[in-house]
Amino acid sequence: MASMCKWTFLQAMCLVVSLSMAVTENYEDDIDVNFVPNYLNEITEEDQMEGETPTPSPEPCKGSVFTKWDKLFTMLENSQMKENMLLQYADDIIKVELQSLREEMLQFVAQYGGSCASAVESSVRRAGIQTETRLQNALDRVREVSADQSAQHDATLQQLLAASVNQTTRLERLENECLKLGERGQASQAKSVQTRHLMQEVTETENGGRLEKTLAGISSELQTIREQLTLYTKSVFANSFPSGCDTGLLFPARSSTAHAEVSPKTPFQTNAVTICLWVKPTQVLNKTILFSYSTTGNAYELQLVLNGRSVFFTVDGETHLVQALGAAQEGHWVHICAVWSSQQGLASLWVNGQQAASSPGVAEGHELRSKGSILLGQEYGRFFRHLSIPDTFDAELAFTGKMTGVNMWDRVLDSKEISQQARLDGSGCGIRGNVVAWGVSDIEPKGGVKLIY
């Protein structure tokens, strides 16, 4: 408060000094005061008797004659002059007073200006220190609150994660127990029915021949129940995806437009590649395209092809290939990985986590070009869209069936990494490629191809 009062007083003093200097500058010139005789402003008795008939009298001398109106105008001029003289006198008094006040203020400022400036500076410095301290305290409190909230969020996320893991484990256990209970229930029901029939037959049977017929009937019924359980297990797993995958692509029929277009995560240009995918073919026919990578300069950069029950992997055209015989089967999931490196041209095919074929000298020294197109279930071939041709293909090469877990790397995967993905009941779908990643990369089904769950 004291610093504020000093600052206000200093501002008032500066204002008075500036006013005094302005007044002094405006009244630097002296005003001359002239006194005019006022005998012309007086109205004599002759003027008052102007309307009456004057008596003739001798005129000793003649001068200028002033009328009544002339004298009135002269009186007005004299009154204005007197008013101006009074105003000038008042201004002179104010000028002298302001000059003296200015000198006193200058003396005061010269005497106390240094102490006031130091007081203002110290007050400003003190206020700045206090403000900085408060800001620092507020920042510390904000950081503490943020740290507490972050810790609480982390703890909550950890609890949610643990609860999710526990829930997943419980659901898996429940599902397994349901499957086991279903199998046991069917088996126990069948056994109880057979036991009742057996007891009835035993009580009714009087000779060994009829007992043998009863046992033969029980055996045939047990075989029927076993076949039904096998069909039930197959139907349960037929609608699910392997290796923990939760989505897939359905290619319902062969057509000239059915395919899926994949957008790589990042453009790539590499001397090595690994392609892995799960397929379940509906029909095993001659030359069915699973995976193809085409560029403007080469429509056959990479191809993964089903040919009957065999799998072909080609690099830079069909003249460079490696094949695995008997790898695919209709209506069954199979995991296929194709690996290639330009160094020595070493290429290999892996089926269900095991190396099925390998060959050196496959496109040795070749380099895969970037900015190409990746298709699933079809190939561009001679229909490559460098001339903006619509997506029409050869229907004879179209794939029919299901596909999931498609991943691609710009390096060679080792046997352990491949086998982890090939486990039917594992979680290999969680392993994703750095060029194409299933569940992350943009995959656009076209021509009747559907994304299923």
mmCIF file of all heavy atoms in Angstrom, residues 75 195 282 343:
data_model
loop_
_atom_site.group_PDB
_atom_site.id
_atom_site.type_symbol
_atom_site.label_atom_id
_atom_site.label_comp_id
_atom_site.label_asym_id
_atom_site.label_seq_id
_atom_site.Cartn_x
_atom_site.Cartn_y
_atom_site.Cartn_z
ATOM 1 N N MET A 75 -18.420 53.731 -25.676
ATOM 2 C CA MET A 75 -18.517 53.129 -24.323
ATOM 3 C C MET A 75 -18.365 51.611 -24.402
ATOM 4 O O MET A 75 -17.700 50.994 -23.559
ATOM 5 C CB MET A 75 -19.855 53.498 -23.704
ATOM 6 C CG MET A 75 -19.974 54.979 -23.308
ATOM 7 S SD MET A 75 -21.616 55.370 -22.735
ATOM 8 C CE MET A 75 -21.674 54.371 -21.271
ATOM 9 N N THR A 195 -27.211 -98.548 -21.351
ATOM 10 C CA THR A 195 -27.232 -99.378 -20.141
ATOM 11 C C THR A 195 -28.648 -99.859 -19.840
ATOM 12 O O THR A 195 -28.863 -101.034 -19.475
ATOM 13 C CB THR A 195 -26.698 -98.569 -18.945
ATOM 14 O OG1 THR A 195 -25.387 -98.113 -19.258
ATOM 15 C CG2 THR A 195 -26.659 -99.412 -17.695
ATOM 16 N N THR A 282 -11.858 -73.493 -50.709
ATOM 17 C CA THR A 282 -13.100 -74.242 -50.931
ATOM 18 C C THR A 282 -12.900 -75.301 -52.001
ATOM 19 O O THR A 282 -13.410 -76.425 -51.879
ATOM 20 C CB THR A 282 -14.213 -73.271 -51.369
ATOM 21 O OG1 THR A 282 -14.373 -72.266 -50.367
ATOM 22 C CG2 THR A 282 -15.530 -74.008 -51.542
ATOM 23 N N GLN A 343 20.336 -62.352 -51.851
ATOM 24 C CA GLN A 343 21.688 -62.879 -51.658
ATOM 25 C C GLN A 343 21.666 -64.387 -51.894
ATOM 26 O O GLN A 343 20.981 -65.132 -51.186
ATOM 27 C CB GLN A 343 22.164 -62.570 -50.247
ATOM 28 C CG GLN A 343 23.612 -62.950 -50.002
ATOM 29 C CD GLN A 343 24.059 -62.564 -48.592
ATOM 30 O OE1 GLN A 343 23.259 -62.077 -47.809
ATOM 31 N NE2 GLN A 343 25.320 -62.784 -48.311
#
